[in-house]
Amino acid sequence: MGTTSTPRIAVVGAGLGGAAAAALLQQAGFKVDVYEQSAEFSRLGAGIHMGPNVMKVFRRLGIEDRLNQMGSHPDFWFSRDGQTGDYMSRIPLGEFARKEYGASYITVHRGDLHALQIDSIQEDTVHFGKRLESVDDSGDDVNLTFSDGTSVRADIVIGADGINSKIREVLLGQEEPTYSGWVAHRALITGDKLAKYDLKFEDCVKWWTEDRHMMVYYTTGKRDEYYYVTGVPHPELDFEGSFVDSSREEMFAAFEGYHPTVQALIESTDSVTKWPLKNRNPLPLWSQGRLVLLGDACHPMKPHMAQGAGMAIEDAAMLTRCLQETGLSDYRTAFELYEANRKERASRVQQVSNDNTWLRTQEDPAWVYGYDLYEQSLKSGNPV
Ligand code: FAD
């Protein structure tokens, strides 16, 4: 494929951030293609929270109603002592969130959300099986070469390629992310397994002790699928890959002494995976030349605030706003604006998420959930 005369944008990575960027930019009238290394996406066993700040972006994309139908709508985020069950915080969500923050707070299956996002991208513009291998920014345009030997040219390239981003590597050199010393276990439990217990399984609850936790919530509005995700210290990274199988035995050992509700969840677990939690320090730059980063490629974090994808999606929305403001030909100004209007918020969320303090005690989450990206006046940026 050669250079086309129509200016166009290449998004590398069709994760939650890249998919949002592609759909929002297309909606704004830009010509966009997405290149994703996976051959297809499967419904991996994991849930995800989407706060009102993100739902406002999905409103713009036209998928808010469908997500509201799909997801579970917890009335509260509860934090509870993992052993005694005492409540440490009760953060109002539900109707309160809709009134105070301007949109719902939902928990949903990650694969269902992702499928909906992919569907919102124009047909034939998501290219699967395209693993980016090299990038050449000539100054006039960018040439991307994929592992299947094909190449494409684009006017600008958005690196939405996650924590091991190739685009980040081009901008900043090769550097492995740091291992945080924590792992996350993830498991889905069908609702019928829980019926036999005389216990209350709350819509959204985080069980905490000093050095570990288990976050639990429903992934469907029908409450037929319950999900837990943990944070457990695991000092040595003694396995490879983005996840490995764990076991019920490992879970019982990690959560010994925890509340009977947590024990019931472990007992009801058929399969559980274990994910190393990786990280990077805030990056010194977000763009260079015709290349720009978003989401985990730019500011990965430990997932304890349930806002990593939220920040990727907010990035996508802000980058779209900035490109609309300047036009594609003045992408340099757009990138400056983008960084100026994202860095502070994304870095703050990254810090709080890494600290794992979010909503442990009664605090006001309005600065995260009340944020409406489309209501922000744009701060001017510094030349990048
Ligand atoms: P990714 O989702 O990593 O997507 C990157 C994409 O790029 C992938 O599809 C990948 O295949 C593709 N790619 C990579 N390299 C290449 C290449 N060379 N060529 C082509 N394609 C490539 N966030 C929340 O908001 N709420 C939550 O509740 C939440 N819970 C979490 C729980 C856990 C245990 C973890 C680990 C994370 C959680 N997160 C949560 C964080 C969230 O998953 C990430 O922040 C989010 O997925 C980042 O999106 P992204 O699009 O930037 O990157």
Side-chain angles (χ1 to χ4, degrees):
M1 270 183 267
T3 314
T4 57
S5 52
T6 322
R8 63 169 201 210
I9 300 173
V11 178
V12 180
L16 300 176
L24 288 162
L25 286 161
Q26 287 177 346
Q27 193 186 57
F30 293 100
K31 185 165 173 4
V32 185
D33 283 278
V34 193
Y35 301 94
E36 165 58 47
Q37 66 181 2
S38 309
E40 59 180 350
F41 289 124
S42 55
R43 194 176 183 267
L44 270 182
I48 197 159
H49 301 240
M50 285 286 120
N53 51 316
V54 195
M55 293 299 274
K56 287 173 234 176
V57 178
F58 289 142
R59 180 175 301 160
R60 184 65 63 114
L61 256 181
I63 58 173
E64 182 191 21
D65 292 346
R66 269 174 292 164
L67 272 172
N68 272 331
Q69 283 157 20
M70 203 183 254
S72 168
H73 292 249
D75 285 329
F76 291 91
W77 164 311
F78 295 121
S79 281
R80 298 181 68 175
D81 184 295
Q83 285 164 337
T84 65
D86 290 346
Y87 286 84
M88 297 148 76
S89 74
R90 292 180 172 86
I91 308 296
L93 301 172
E95 195 48 36
F96 181 86
R98 285 187 283 278
K99 279 208 191 102
E100 286 296 311
Y101 310 135
S104 301
Y105 189 105
I106 66 159
T107 58
V108 67
H109 193 288
R110 194 188 170 99
D112 296 343
L113 164 69
H114 196 195
L116 191 59
Q117 283 196 245
I118 295 290
D119 271 356
S120 66
I121 305 173
Q122 282 164 16
E123 239 181 300
D124 302 329
T125 59
V126 188
H127 310 280
F128 288 99
K130 296 284 175 190
R131 180 179 172 77
L132 180 68
E133 283 217 329
S134 69
V135 181
D136 178 21
D137 180 352
S138 71
D140 293 331
D141 65 3
V142 188
N143 190 39
L144 300 176
T145 305
F146 302 100
S147 55
D148 63 359
T150 59
S151 63
V152 292
R153 308 190 88 88
D155 290 82
I156 64 165
V157 177
I158 299 175
D161 47 348
I163 190 163
N164 295 307
S165 169
K166 187 82 197 168
I167 305 284
R168 192 215 72 91
E169 191 183 308
V170 171
L171 297 188
L172 290 158
Q174 195 171 10
E175 194 185 350
E176 287 297 309
T178 43
Y179 173 55
S180 69
W182 260 262
V183 292
H185 303 89
R186 289 165 138 175
L188 286 170
I189 300 169
T190 51
D192 55 347
K193 290 215 153 193
L194 304 175
K196 67 177 184 212
Y197 297 101
D198 189 19
L199 292 165
K200 189 167 166 40
F201 296 99
E202 289 162 319
D203 285 354
C204 178
V205 54
K206 187 164 176 177
W207 300 89
W208 309 65
T209 46
E210 203 44 47
D211 69 345
R212 66 198 60 210
H213 65 258
M214 181 187 279
M215 176 92 231
V216 197
Y217 53 88
Y218 286 99
T219 57
T220 64
K222 290 183 284 185
R223 293 196 176 85
D224 56 359
E225 194 175 66
Y226 209 39
Y227 168 70
Y228 65 73
V229 52
T230 74
V232 172
H234 186 94
E236 282 295 309
L237 181 53
D238 50 7
F239 59 92
E240 282 179 20
S242 53
F243 69 92
V244 291
D245 285 334
S246 177
S247 65
R248 216 184 282 169
E249 292 65 42
E250 192 176 329
M251 291 300 298
F252 277 128
F255 288 91
E256 199 185 340
Y258 258 63
H259 193 269
T261 308
V262 172
Q263 302 304 327
L265 293 176
I266 299 174
E267 199 175 80
S268 307
T269 301
D270 283 333
S271 77
V272 50
T273 50
K274 182 166 73 179
W275 302 64
L277 298 180
K278 296 191 177 171
N279 221 333
R280 289 187 192 279
N281 289 326
L283 299 188
L285 56 84
W286 284 34
S287 70
Q288 198 171 59
R290 294 173 177 270
L291 311 178
V292 63
L293 298 171
L294 66 72
D296 277 12
C298 190
H299 42 66
M301 58 190 85
K302 284 169 80 190
H304 308 320
M305 208 171 150
Q307 281 285 337
M311 290 304 106
I313 293 161
E314 283 189 8
D315 285 350
M318 184 56 85
L319 183 55
T320 303
R321 259 192 83 182
C322 297
L323 283 163
Q324 278 182 290
E325 185 80 12
T326 63
L328 188 53
S329 56
D330 193 10
Y331 63 87
R332 279 178 202 279
T333 308
F335 292 174
E336 285 166 24
L337 275 175
Y338 163 63
E339 184 169 339
N341 288 280
R342 287 302 300 156
K343 195 168 191 167
E344 195 182 314
R345 179 171 167 84
S347 304
R348 186 174 171 197
V349 168
Q350 194 181 19
Q351 185 62 55
V352 176
S353 204
N354 288 340
D355 290 347
N356 192 19
T357 54
W358 183 241
L359 308 186
R360 183 180 184 127
T361 54
Q362 199 68 30
E363 65 176 298
D364 183 359
W367 68 273
V368 180
Y369 302 156
Y371 180 83
D372 184 342
L373 187 134
Y374 297 106
E375 294 287 310
Q376 311 298 313
S377 45
L378 290 183
K379 285 188 264 179
S380 60
N382 297 317
V384 285

